């Protein structure tokens, strides 16, 4: 199972990479533009690709087949590490199929059941992104959906990876892993929350207390 960090920040990605906690990046053009209106998205993607040499998932901003294909090709020119995120819809399928044949990495978004995942994989998606928040808001059990999609893809012989996107709690992260997600896409905040447990805090307090009671060594 791999972790993709939901971040556009070089510093956040560096810190996670230094701890061995990131095998990919989920890059949001909208958040990048909001955080740095004068920033150059292409330049940032080039920096990320050069420094980390890991998959970088980037959402495209097009909704018709020709524009999807054109924008995806432009993004793919930046680096072989770029994976274009394309929403699953009828008009996108021919573009996805053509892009895959030309060696462009594809992650299909807006996938919410096994049937959709199967179509996305058939069209060439190397990953299918499943939004935990959207499923939960709809009242659909998100981890059961992950398990269904994983089962459908394995039963059909498709090699597409299942990405569980943006689980918000440690419990939900663990459930996504046990349901068969190949990739968990997490924010830095959620990654830090995985370290937190009351017993860990108590153990650290005891450790510090014991450390303070040790005899001082005199040089």
């Amino acid at each position: 199972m791999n972790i993709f960090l939901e971040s556009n920040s070089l510093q956040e990605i560096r810190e996670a990479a230094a701890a061995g906690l990131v095998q990919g990046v989920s890059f949001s053009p909208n958040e990048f533009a909001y955080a740095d209106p004068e920033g150059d998205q292409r330049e940032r993607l080039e920096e990320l690709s050069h420094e980390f040499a890991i998959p970088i998932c980037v959402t495209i901003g097009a909704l018709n087949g020709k524009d999807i294909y054109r924008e995806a090709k432009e993004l793919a020119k930046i680096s072989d590490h770029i994976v274009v995120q394309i929403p699953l819809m009828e008009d996108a399928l021919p573009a996805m199929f053509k892009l895959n044949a030309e060696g462009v990495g594809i992650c299909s978004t807006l996938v919410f059941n096994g049937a959709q995942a199967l179509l996305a994989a058939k069209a060439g998606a190397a990953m299918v992104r499943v939004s935990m928040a959207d499923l939960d808001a709809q009242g659909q059990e998100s981890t059961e959906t992950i398990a269904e999609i994983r089962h459908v893809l394995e039963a059909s012989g498709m090699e597409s990876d299942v990405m569980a996107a943006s689980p918000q709690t440690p419990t939900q992260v663990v459930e996504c892993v046990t349901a068969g997600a190949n990739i968990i896409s997490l924010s830095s905040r959620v990654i830090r929350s995985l370290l937190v447990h009351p017993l860990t805090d108590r153990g650290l307090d005891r450790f510090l207390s014991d450390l303070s009671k040790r005899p001082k060594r005199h040089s």
Side-chain angles (χ1 to χ4, degrees):
M1 190 280 299
N2 291 326
I3 293 176
F4 278 32
L5 183 63
E6 297 175 350
S7 178
N8 305 326
S9 164
L10 282 168
Q11 186 59 35
E12 283 188 346
I13 299 167
R14 283 172 182 151
E15 290 173 358
L21 297 179
V22 57
Q23 291 78 48
V25 173
S26 291
F27 183 94
S28 171
N30 288 343
E31 291 182 9
F32 178 78
Y34 179 79
D36 188 2
E38 303 301 321
D40 187 316
Q41 175 183 299
R42 188 181 186 90
E43 184 177 301
R44 175 59 56 84
L45 290 172
E46 288 173 347
E47 288 178 317
L48 292 173
S49 300
H50 177 72
E51 182 167 345
F52 301 104
I54 55 178
I56 302 169
C57 294
V58 186
T59 303
I60 65 169
L63 290 176
N64 71 71
K66 290 182 179 179
D67 290 343
I68 288 171
Y69 176 79
R70 181 170 60 251
E71 185 173 340
K73 288 290 286 186
E74 283 302 310
L75 284 170
K77 289 177 183 177
I78 297 173
S79 168
D80 292 339
H81 300 297
I82 296 295
V83 178
V84 293
Q85 292 194 152
I86 300 175
L88 183 68
M89 53 186 181
E90 186 174 356
D91 203 34
L93 295 176
M96 289 169 59
F97 186 73
K98 186 176 180 181
L99 288 164
N100 177 61
E102 295 174 358
V104 177
I106 300 166
C107 175
S108 184
T109 66
L110 304 183
V111 174
F112 298 109
N113 61 37
Q116 289 182 314
L118 181 61
L119 289 180
K122 285 285 189 182
M127 308 174 192
V128 292
R129 185 180 187 275
V130 186
S131 170
M132 301 290 97
D134 288 340
L135 286 170
D136 290 340
Q138 185 67 18
Q140 189 172 339
E141 181 54 54
S142 53
T143 51
E144 288 182 3
T145 301
I146 293 292
E148 173 196 306
I149 291 173
R150 181 73 268 150
H151 177 71
V152 168
L153 292 175
E154 288 179 352
S156 62
M158 305 304 296
E159 297 182 358
S160 185
D161 287 337
V162 180
M163 178 192 293
S166 306
Q168 294 300 302
T169 67
T171 298
Q172 196 173 38
V173 170
V174 172
E175 289 175 345
C176 288
V177 174
T178 57
N182 305 99
I183 301 166
I184 311 290
S185 180
L186 300 172
S187 66
S188 293
R189 176 189 64 80
V190 174
I191 289 178
R192 286 192 295 269
S193 77
L194 301 182
L195 291 168
V196 178
H197 193 281
L199 292 178
T200 302
D201 293 338
R202 288 182 206 170
L204 288 172
D205 288 341
R206 286 197 304 270
F207 174 77
L208 291 172
S209 177
D210 292 343
L211 197 62
S212 69
K213 296 174 184 176
R214 291 182 183 179
K216 301 291 185 182
R217 290 186 177 181
H218 299 286
S219 56

